[in-house]
Amino acid sequence: LLKSLKNVVSSLRDSNMVYERRVGEFCSQISTMYKDENKRKIIKKFPGGNNKTLTALSGIDKFRVETHHVIVDKFCSELDKRINAYSVLVENFLFLTRLHVESTIDLEESVNKFISIYKDDVDDSIKYEIVHFKQFWDQLKPTFDGSDVLKVFEWMTECNVINIFPNIHIALRIYLTIPVANCTAERAFSKLARIKNKNRSSQTQDNLSSLMILSTENDVLQNLSFDITLEIFA
């Protein structure tokens, strides 16, 4: 999905004229003509008498090179970072998402890599659990897609086999709790900067934590009734 999005964004790199026309459609007061329609030549002097003639970009080329291309290239660069991050995640947990279709031998490399990364959470016995779990899966033949890790997690709970496959259960929990982005943490820091301002610099940790929770869970807070609270403390 991200790769297709990157292809779409990349295809827009040479479509700056389209966006210029759209800007004119949105606001008729914005002129599509640039003040500098002619390229200006700049002579740059260097030590030793070597002069180099530089051509300054015209208005339309300046927008294309210094604005439009920069935005598109930055967007594609950020998408590449996310694609690489997801690729690493998929490789680390490949044995979970492909266990229902791949043999345990084919997934051995992925399992060993997972053990080396999460050696403090799981042990080597997960290899034997996977062999057993594969047989258990093939025997019961669940109707849902085995690549859906959340459904596999819920299915294990329903079958009451968590104690039989503890390491696989831990691996599923790790996979399901890995944050897909740091947006939540960034929002929390932004809210903290608003809450702990110069007028609240002497806030205690408990009060600050309470205000942070109220601000972060604002959507839940709006649906609460404070009538009972007012009756108790009023």
Side-chain angles (χ1 to χ4, degrees):
L1 186 61
L2 288 176
K3 290 181 179 179
S4 61
L5 177 60
K6 180 190 172 183
N7 292 335
V8 172
V9 175
S10 299
S11 65
L12 302 176
R13 198 172 190 273
D14 297 324
S15 59
N16 57 295
M17 295 298 297
V18 176
Y19 293 102
E20 288 192 40
R21 287 196 299 269
R22 289 183 180 178
V23 169
E25 294 173 359
F26 289 143
C27 183
S28 58
Q29 296 179 353
I30 297 178
S31 174
T32 57
M33 299 295 295
Y34 292 91
K35 293 181 180 180
D36 181 17
E37 291 294 342
N38 298 320
K39 294 182 179 180
R40 296 177 290 108
K41 292 184 178 180
I42 301 175
I43 299 177
K44 198 166 186 179
K45 297 182 179 181
F46 294 92
N50 296 325
N51 298 334
K52 186 176 181 180
T53 302
L54 303 176
T55 302
L57 295 174
S58 63
I60 188 170
D61 291 331
K62 187 178 180 67
F63 168 76
R64 174 175 56 84
V65 174
E66 298 184 2
T67 303
H68 183 74
H69 284 180
V70 172
I71 293 173
V72 174
D73 293 343
K74 180 63 175 177
F75 197 175
C76 291
S77 176
E78 293 299 322
L79 286 175
D80 281 333
K81 292 180 182 178
R82 283 157 178 76
I83 291 171
N84 293 334
Y86 283 121
S87 298
V88 172
L89 182 64
V90 169
E91 291 176 2
N92 293 342
F93 292 89
L94 186 65
F95 70 97
L96 289 179
T97 58
R98 301 291 296 173
L99 183 60
H100 62 296
V101 292
E102 299 283 350
S103 66
T104 54
I105 298 176
D106 295 333
L107 298 174
E108 185 176 356
E109 182 179 353
S110 175
V111 175
N112 291 331
K113 187 175 183 180
F114 177 82
I115 294 173
S116 64
I117 296 174
Y118 298 98
K119 57 186 177 182
D120 295 332
D121 301 297
V122 297
D123 51 48
D124 290 341
S125 62
I126 190 175
K127 298 178 182 179
Y128 308 106
E129 289 184 19
I130 289 174
V131 176
H132 186 187
F133 187 80
K134 175 70 173 176
Q135 295 296 326
F136 182 69
W137 177 277
D138 294 339
Q139 181 180 353
L140 295 184
K141 293 182 172 58
T143 56
F144 60 87
D145 185 5
S147 62
D148 191 334
V149 179
L150 179 58
K151 288 187 177 180
V152 174
F153 180 84
E154 294 172 346
W155 178 72
M156 286 185 63
T157 305
E158 293 174 0
C159 295
N160 196 23
V161 293
I162 296 175
N163 293 331
I164 301 175
F165 308 107
N167 287 294
I168 294 180
H169 188 255
I170 292 173
L172 290 170
R173 287 163 55 193
I174 293 174
Y175 182 85
L176 292 172
T177 54
I178 290 178
V180 296
N182 62 345
C183 298
T184 304
E186 294 293 340
R187 292 193 191 102
F189 282 116
S190 298
K191 290 183 180 297
L192 179 62
R194 298 190 190 101
I195 294 172
K196 192 174 182 180
N197 52 36
K198 62 180 181 180
N199 296 324
R200 292 175 175 168
S201 58
S202 60
Q203 281 280 340
T204 62
Q205 186 63 41
D206 291 340
N207 288 342
L208 187 61
S209 299
S210 299
L211 290 173
M212 279 287 296
I213 293 173
L214 292 174
S215 179
T216 304
E217 305 296 340
N218 182 58
D219 54 338
V220 178
L221 187 65
Q222 295 296 329
N223 297 324
L224 296 179
S225 175
F226 295 95
D227 294 338
I228 299 177
T229 305
L230 291 174
E231 290 179 1
I232 295 175
F233 293 97

